[in-house]
Amino acid sequence: MQKKIQSALISVFYKDGIDAIAKKLHDAGITIYSTGGTQQFLEKEGIPCVAVESLTTYPSILGGRVKTLHPVVFGGILGRRYEEQDLKEMQQYAIPEIDVVIVDLYPFEETLRNTSEEKLIIEKIDIGGPSMIRAAAKNFRDVVVIAAKEDYAALEQLLVDQNCETTLEQRKAFAAKAFQVVMNYDIAINNYFNPDNTAVQTSSAKQVLRYGENPHQQAVFYGDLKELFTQLNGKELSYNNLVDVDAAVQLIGEFATDTNKVFAIIKHTNVCGIAARTSVKESWDAALAGDPESAFGGVLVCNNAIDLATANAINEIFFEVLIAPSFDEDALQVLKSKKNRILLELKAKYTKASSQSKTLLNGILSQGTDEGNFAEWKEVGGRETTAAEKEDLIFANLVCKHLKSNAIALVKNKQLVGKGCGQTSRIDALRHSIEKAKQFKFDLKGAVMASDAFFPFNDCVQIAHVEGVEAIIQPGGSIRDKDSIDYCVEHNLAMVITGLRHFRH
């Protein structure tokens, strides 16, 4: 069903690009209705407009809060041209037909990023804009709605190619986009007022990815990565890259205030190497030594600037992504030698979300993020931990927190020397971690062990002790905690109960 455009309502916050489309409308003899700042901007560009106030007979009131909320405006948008009664009422009340609605929304999310002052944030909750967009989208049989400047070019092309006519399919497609714009806007407002109940997280920024987890799966990322990173080199991030980058950033965030330089290697969201040292190069060497096989094709992350010495060392292996707060210029030149290698500069303002959610079954599952390392530090073994052991235990527990359950982390001198993750039993996770340590020639004498959950039996403690582990950290909570504790007491091993489990499924 072709429809000829004869009138348009334009009311936008951002004026860039609107003059070109308004000029085309005007040149085609289309009447333009407008308000406030938009009207002034267009008239300054030599494009005549009819003030909305001349239709409503009301001025903009309440500091601009009420401008377009009037039956004449919404009647012109919602009036059904195919309903005889609607047309009679529109004629009776002198309501003009409005065929195109071009409206954007107050920058609520941008305001949130730039200020914490509630008064300013509240004033950027748009009322009239979403209402006009929804009204125009609902009446897509007769009205074209443009709710984002990304669609200006598409409308301009239609005006030229189709002589200011649109098809029903085109109007419906614009309506679908418009409803999504309003949905995203409302979700952002909901998340502001309900920060602990953000079950649905989305964004108006949409990035179509090459494919999903596998090549036959389509994928889209909703969000603006530029808020978090400056990409300095490389190809577009893939679905799997994004998942691993998220895991890497969450992990390194645990060491944001660490006085040491921490370097970590992520593979399929699990930590396969991590170490803390006094220099970035030393921390890289130690992290890589933890599992040089798994590091191939991994995602690398550091809490300090990447210098030339480290860049030269990293450059020797294949990796997908490197994340750091900054890069020395000479280091950057070395790392850019591979054009597809993704280099991300993590912005200092990054903060972890307070909640996480995922779709499953026929709904959405939401929870608060796993915050903290330990709720208590309860020494229950045969002796107190030494200062060095305590540092290693704190480090190991954070590493274990970021491994898939069931998980065991073996650490020595703030270096991950063995890990077992994603196992169906805790004892298998321990066996795997010991096997990894032996594969890369680590001596476990004096190492510490972290477990993401309690030990149901004392078998893990016994096996770890035989291999040289002398201090253990675990959340506790088993009805048989005493078995493991008694073994530690009997064999003079240190054990710490934290009271904080770190399952990760």
Side-chain angles (χ1 to χ4, degrees):
M1 185 171 63
Q2 297 280 120
K3 284 199 67 76
K4 186 82 170 180
I5 297 171
Q6 296 179 320
S7 62
L9 189 155
I10 304 177
S11 180
V12 293
F13 186 88
Y14 294 107
K15 311 299 187 290
D16 49 313
I18 196 63
D19 51 340
I21 199 166
K23 188 174 189 309
K24 279 191 170 56
L25 291 168
H26 172 65
D27 290 346
I30 294 167
T31 302
I32 297 175
Y33 300 100
S34 193
T35 63
T38 305
Q39 180 187 350
Q40 293 172 18
F41 174 79
L42 294 178
E43 289 178 341
K44 188 177 179 181
E45 295 295 318
I47 303 166
C49 304
V50 176
V52 167
E53 290 85 349
S54 69
L55 298 178
T56 64
T57 70
Y58 275 88
S60 172
I61 61 173
L62 307 181
R65 282 188 164 198
V66 180
K67 290 181 289 208
T68 56
L69 295 169
H70 192 279
V72 171
V73 174
F74 280 85
I77 298 170
L78 285 165
R80 293 163 290 187
R81 282 60 153 174
Y82 54 91
E83 288 285 349
E84 187 176 342
Q85 184 60 37
D86 283 12
L87 293 174
K88 284 181 179 178
E89 290 179 5
M90 291 173 75
Q91 184 177 16
Q92 178 184 355
Y93 297 110
I95 298 173
E97 295 180 6
I98 297 174
D99 302 320
V100 176
V101 172
I102 303 174
V103 173
D104 65 6
L105 301 174
Y106 291 167
F108 180 79
E109 289 180 277
E110 182 180 323
T111 303
L112 268 183
R113 290 193 294 269
N114 294 329
T115 184
S116 59
E117 188 177 340
E118 186 172 77
K119 181 180 178 181
L120 296 176
I121 293 168
I122 297 303
E123 284 308 310
K124 286 300 183 285
I125 298 177
D126 205 331
I127 304 300
S131 300
M132 288 190 288
I133 290 170
R134 288 175 62 87
K138 176 178 180 178
N139 201 24
F140 67 86
R141 282 194 60 173
D142 294 304
V143 179
V144 178
V145 58
I146 303 295
K149 62 183 177 182
E150 288 78 11
D151 290 326
Y152 287 179
L155 179 59
E156 279 190 66
Q157 200 62 45
L158 290 179
L159 295 174
V160 174
D161 294 347
Q162 297 175 197
N163 193 28
C164 298
E165 291 187 350
T166 61
T167 66
L168 179 62
E169 291 75 18
Q170 289 164 344
R171 294 192 296 277
K172 190 172 184 179
F174 282 128
K177 291 182 179 180
F179 279 123
Q180 188 172 54
V181 168
V182 175
M183 176 191 72
N184 292 336
Y185 194 75
D186 286 341
I187 288 172
I189 295 169
N190 167 74
N191 291 347
Y192 170 70
F193 281 97
N194 300 284
D196 298 323
N197 187 30
T198 53
V200 180
Q201 295 278 4
T202 189
S203 168
S204 56
K206 174 181 175 180
Q207 180 183 344
V208 178
L209 305 176
R210 296 194 301 276
Y211 53 81
E213 202 161 8
N214 300 291
H216 65 280
Q217 295 172 266
Q218 295 182 338
V220 175
F221 174 74
Y222 291 97
D224 187 359
L225 291 172
K226 292 177 182 176
E227 293 178 10
L228 304 182
F229 307 105
T230 300
Q231 183 163 345
L232 305 175
N233 191 68
K235 60 187 178 181
E236 180 184 275
L237 285 158
S238 69
Y239 179 99
N240 291 330
N241 288 156
L242 287 167
V243 174
D244 280 343
V245 165
D246 178 66
V249 170
Q250 286 191 45
L251 171 65
I252 209 66
E254 305 280 11
F255 304 97
T257 59
D258 199 299
T259 55
N260 285 310
K261 278 69 174 176
V262 179
F263 218 120
I265 304 165
I266 305 294
K267 196 72 174 290
H268 301 300
T269 74
N270 285 302
V271 194
C272 62
I274 184 170
R277 295 290 185 266
T278 55
S279 77
V280 174
K281 172 64 164 54
E282 289 173 335
S283 67
W284 161 251
D285 289 341
L288 180 63
D291 190 347
E293 286 183 349
S294 296
F296 182 85
V299 169
L300 319 180
V301 63
C302 185
N303 68 348
N304 271 264
I306 304 299
D307 56 29
L308 180 60
T310 309
N312 282 327
I314 295 172
N315 202 44
E316 294 176 4
I317 75 161
F318 168 71
F319 64 90
E320 289 276 347
V321 184
L322 171 58
I323 309 160
S326 62
F327 296 79
D328 290 353
E329 190 57 40
D330 50 2
L332 204 54
Q333 294 311 307
V334 170
L335 294 167
K336 283 184 175 181
S337 61
K338 301 288 192 301
K339 67 176 183 178
N340 287 332
R341 182 182 281 165
I342 300 167
L343 305 176
L344 299 177
E345 191 171 78
L346 181 62
K347 296 183 178 179
K349 69 177 182 179
Y350 171 74
T351 53
K352 185 166 60 174
S354 61
S355 66
Q356 53 191 192
S357 59
K358 61 182 176 181
T359 58
L360 52 74
L361 299 175
N362 62 343
I364 295 171
L365 195 62
S366 180
Q367 66 173 355
T369 53
D370 181 6
E371 297 285 358
N373 190 354
F374 46 87
E376 60 179 344
W377 188 271
K378 188 176 179 183
E379 303 260 4
V380 296
R383 61 176 176 82
E384 295 283 305
T385 54
T386 67
E389 283 175 338
K390 185 171 184 178
E391 284 193 7
D392 272 355
L393 288 170
I394 291 170
F395 186 88
N397 208 48
L398 285 175
V399 173
C400 199
K401 174 182 173 180
H402 290 269
L403 292 169
K404 290 292 177 65
S405 300
N406 287 307
I408 293 289
L410 301 177
V411 165
K412 189 173 181 179
N413 300 325
K414 287 193 173 181
Q415 178 188 22
L416 181 65
V417 295
K419 50 87 180 56
C421 52
Q423 300 301 306
T424 51
S425 73
R426 192 152 304 282
I427 197 165
D428 278 345
L430 174 58
R431 288 173 180 143
H432 189 227
S433 66
I434 293 168
E435 181 184 334
K436 275 289 184 182
K438 290 181 176 180
Q439 179 184 355
F440 300 114
K441 312 300 182 188
F442 286 106
D443 180 5
L444 290 177
K445 178 65 177 173
V448 306
M449 175 173 70
S451 174
D452 65 332
F454 62 66
F455 297 112
F457 309 101
N458 68 1
D459 49 4
C460 286
V461 175
Q462 291 183 44
I463 292 170
H465 177 219
V466 169
E467 296 297 337
V469 170
E470 297 179 353
I472 299 157
I473 188 167
Q474 55 127 336
S478 169
I479 59 172
R480 300 186 64 170
D481 274 347
K482 189 174 183 297
D483 293 355
S484 295
I485 293 170
D486 286 349
Y487 184 91
C488 289
V489 171
E490 181 182 348
H491 294 86
N492 201 37
L493 304 179
M495 176 175 275
V496 174
I497 299 288
T498 68
L500 194 63
R501 192 180 74 182
H502 292 300
F503 265 166
R504 182 172 290 251
H505 289 93

